[in-house]
Amino acid sequence: MKKIVNLTATAAMTAGLLVPFAGAQAADTAAAATNSPIKHLVVIYQENRSFDNYFGTYPNAPGFHALPGTPKAEGIPDGSYNLDEKGNKVSPFLFTNEELQTPDVDHGFDDMEKAANGGKMDGFYMASENHAKGTGRIAMGYYDYNALPAYWQYAQHFSMADHFFQPIYGPSTPGALYLVAAQSGNAGNPMKGDPVPAFGPLGGDGGKRWEPLTYKNIGDELSAKGISWGWYQGGFAARTLPTLPITTLSNILPIITIMQAI
């Protein structure tokens, strides 16, 4: 009996388009003379999506013409389903054009752990349905090329992490921290929610500010080696940037700044 991994509730996913596809573009002469021909690494980071939610049927979709030799992603298994509140099977389905914007599905730490159910992966429908009526079905939906043409075209030229597994259950903040530091809270105090940052100025679900994080992140490591880096995001509109104990925010810009620069 096969059960389906949640298609939409996987939080804090790093897009699996990271490594140039072999042979997609030859390195120029100058780059080939260096220790590595890779000059820039761009990580597209999103959340609340699983691999299957975007690429579960890749490269098969109406109207999509894959390049010769394109491998089939290990996406949605045949015969997959979850059970609804009445015990009926709910199989993965393609969202219609009227469902391209959907309500948020449940991805709280404790609920996601229950949904995974010790590896059975059979509780995602009910976890979301109990969180908000009507979202259980949404947790079983997926998109294809017709809704995500740019992503599917990117996938033709870059490698994809179809065996990616999120490092931690739960919402945005712990997953984002794992992306840049391979851990969430400090040792002995794991982060399971979206707390208010210790140094602000915005963010979190309210309540007490989280303690200062004392570990290094990838920005610290890159700066120590003299490698330039930047972090760009929306929803960040601080007028003044506080001084942090480890990594400064000098490389972090609101997305509007990037658009103005362009």
Side-chain angles (χ1 to χ4, degrees):
M1 182 182 299
K2 293 184 178 179
K3 307 293 176 65
I4 186 65
V5 62
N6 179 23
L7 299 183
T8 60
T10 304
M13 170 186 171
T14 306
L17 305 174
L18 306 181
V19 183
F21 186 79
Q25 184 174 1
D28 58 30
T29 303
T34 63
N35 290 332
S36 171
I38 300 174
K39 297 302 182 184
H40 303 283
L41 176 65
V42 178
V43 177
I44 304 173
Y45 169 66
Q46 295 186 316
E47 63 178 31
N48 299 0
R49 304 291 172 186
S50 69
F51 181 90
D52 287 353
N53 185 228
Y54 276 8
F55 298 104
T57 64
Y58 182 85
N60 299 315
F64 184 68
H65 303 288
L67 294 173
T70 298
K72 178 178 172 58
E74 292 193 31
I76 302 172
D78 294 336
S80 301
Y81 64 88
N82 267 195
L83 298 179
D84 65 13
E85 61 273 27
K86 297 180 179 180
N88 298 317
K89 294 181 180 180
V90 181
S91 299
F93 67 95
L94 178 66
F95 283 124
T96 66
N97 291 336
E98 289 71 38
E99 297 177 295
L100 299 185
Q101 184 174 354
T102 60
D104 205 5
V105 296
D106 187 18
H107 53 276
F109 185 98
D110 293 329
D111 288 337
M112 286 193 70
E113 188 172 29
K114 294 176 182 177
N117 194 15
K120 293 181 180 180
M121 314 304 284
D122 60 1
F124 291 98
Y125 180 99
M126 288 306 305
S128 287
E129 189 68 15
N130 290 334
H131 171 72
K133 187 173 179 58
T135 61
R137 174 182 175 275
I138 294 172
M140 303 301 292
Y142 64 86
Y143 302 97
D144 68 4
Y145 165 74
N146 294 285
L148 304 166
Y151 284 138
W152 277 50
Q153 292 293 351
Y154 294 155
Q156 288 284 276
H157 303 282
F158 294 85
S159 297
M160 294 197 301
D162 56 352
H163 282 189
F164 171 82
F165 293 90
Q166 66 186 64
I168 186 172
Y169 294 117
S172 306
T173 306
L177 291 171
Y178 261 91
L179 172 66
V180 298
Q183 66 184 92
S184 57
N186 295 317
N189 189 19
M191 187 182 296
K192 297 171 61 175
D194 288 319
V196 178
F199 298 99
L202 304 172
D205 293 333
K208 183 180 178 181
R209 288 187 179 274
W210 192 261
E211 63 187 24
L213 300 176
T214 58
Y215 50 82
K216 290 184 177 182
N217 59 53
I218 193 172
D220 300 305
E221 302 293 345
L222 291 171
S223 295
K225 295 294 184 178
I227 301 174
S228 62
W229 60 275
W231 177 283
Y232 307 100
Q233 70 180 69
F236 187 89
R239 294 184 180 274
T240 59
L241 299 177
T243 300
L244 300 183
I246 301 178
T247 299
T248 70
L249 292 178
S250 60
N251 291 2
I252 304 177
L253 300 175
I255 194 68
I256 188 64
T257 302
I258 304 170
M259 299 306 295
Q260 289 172 344
I262 293 175

